[in-house]
Amino acid sequence: MGNNEMVQLRQKVDEINTQLLHLLNERAKVVQEIGQLKKIQGTKRFDPVREREVLDMIAEQNEGPFETTTLQHIFKTIFKASLELQEDDNRKALLVSRKKKQENTIVDIKGEKLGSGLQTFIMGPCAVESKEQVRQVAEAMKEQGIKLMRGGAFKPRTSPYDFQGLGVEGLQILREVADEYDLAVISEILNPNDVEISLEYVDVIQIGARNMQNFDLLRAVGRVNKPVLLKRGLAATIDEFVHAAEYIISQGNDQIILCERGIRTYEKATRNTLDISAVPILKKETHLPVVVDVTHSTGRKDLLLPTAKAALAIGADAVMAEVHPDPAVALSDSAQQMDIPQFHTFMDELKGFKNKLA
Ligand SMILES: C=C(O[C@@H]1C=C(C(=O)O)C=C[C@H]1O)C(=O)O
């Protein structure tokens, strides 16, 4: 008898559960519509005034047996879930997302097709110091069949008293040497005003980690017809990184390469902590090519090869590292750049590993 009553009561609860389930989803659909409207109107998704009104209505109408605070707590959870739903809907609409575009964006830099499945290398000195210095690196790169040369002309340094780069003269040197060796130039621009002049000299504009959320600069490079290599900010989440790329694509330029370069954590054994899992996450969530900068993420020469291998194994489109003819006298990052013989050893071993992967 008692058991029978229990079964009946549970049936009743189940019917109510089903109703609640339908009602919650029905509510969710209305919330989604509100989210769409807010997007069109450009208003914020979170509306604390509205939420307060709903909580007050609960207090007014509650007849128990639940305590008002208990019901309000449940409703706050519903609000939170509703906001997440609205956010998900907006994310679906991001232009950089895989949901928006299934196939990989291929960034073609002088025939090197990043995003095509080919895994390649981006090498070069941290900063351009002289033509001779860049030439020596270019020569070594040529020997290794590497086409993509990075080099800093405008250097954002932690201290204003440190070497700030050669500026436009540095870009000129890069272009001249690159043309001599048939290489492509990747170089960082710090200021929206320098974007136009850089177009004459570079094949790819780099946006550095410190500028990942310089929204004026992102919009400026979004308006030009030139590939952009966007580095992840020092303390940026993947979501913030993806949204920074969205600033660029929103202006029309979809030739974007994402670069994981390590993030700041409590760990002191490396300069930054290489977030290797960011690579497959970014490849899954966006359609953009992803490269890994092993020099800045580790800050340690002894970790360049293992992290580069990890980057290739996990599916990065390219590995980036720094090379200097005489790192001991380099004007920046002297401890972490490879010299030319180290570079050749690094490349030979890395290519061997890559062949094994294939
Ligand atoms: C649905 C809305 O968006 C959010 C979700 C709410 C809800 O789930 O009731 C209330 C306010 C907003 O924070 C809305 O503004 O009405």
Side-chain angles (χ1 to χ4, degrees), residues 340-358:
I340 308 273
Q342 283 165 342
F343 163 71
H344 284 303
T345 309
F346 169 82
M347 282 313 305
D348 292 344
E349 291 198 30
L350 196 53
K351 281 181 184 166
F353 178 77
K354 192 181 152 200
N355 290 338
K356 270 192 265 167
L357 275 182

Side-chain angles (χ1 to χ4, degrees), residues 176-300:
E176 218 175 289
V177 176
D179 288 346
E180 210 176 300
Y181 290 89
D182 191 30
L183 306 177
V185 170
I186 302 174
S187 200
E188 177 170 0
I189 299 302
L190 302 179
N191 190 321
N193 297 330
D194 291 328
V195 170
E196 201 170 318
I197 186 141
S198 77
L199 299 178
E200 278 179 51
Y201 300 106
V202 308
D203 300 288
V204 179
I205 297 173
Q206 181 175 310
I207 303 294
R210 286 160 187 77
N211 270 317
M212 189 207 80
Q213 285 187 319
N214 181 338
F215 299 120
D216 282 344
L217 185 59
L218 297 176
R219 282 198 203 92
V221 297
R223 287 192 288 267
V224 297
N225 184 20
K226 189 72 89 176
V228 177
L229 185 139
L230 176 66
K231 288 196 152 195
R232 180 173 178 182
L234 282 80
T237 63
I238 290 175
D239 191 57
E240 288 162 343
F241 189 20
V242 168
H243 277 86
E246 187 72 12
Y247 266 89
I248 301 172
I249 205 171
S250 69
Q251 302 300 306
N253 187 357
D254 71 343
Q255 297 290 288
I256 306 165
I257 304 155
L258 301 174
C259 179
E260 163 59 37
R261 46 79 70 203
I263 48 173
R264 184 162 286 183
T265 69
Y266 51 80
E267 183 52 65
K268 291 200 178 112
T270 48
R271 179 172 166 179
N272 291 289
T273 299
L274 174 59
D275 183 6
I276 197 74
S277 57
V279 177
I281 294 172
L282 290 166
K283 302 259 339 155
K284 195 172 149 201
E285 301 245 325
T286 80
H287 48 79
L288 303 173
V290 180
V291 320
V292 173
D293 176 346
V294 290
T295 299
H296 288 103
S297 48
T298 64
R300 283 176 52 163

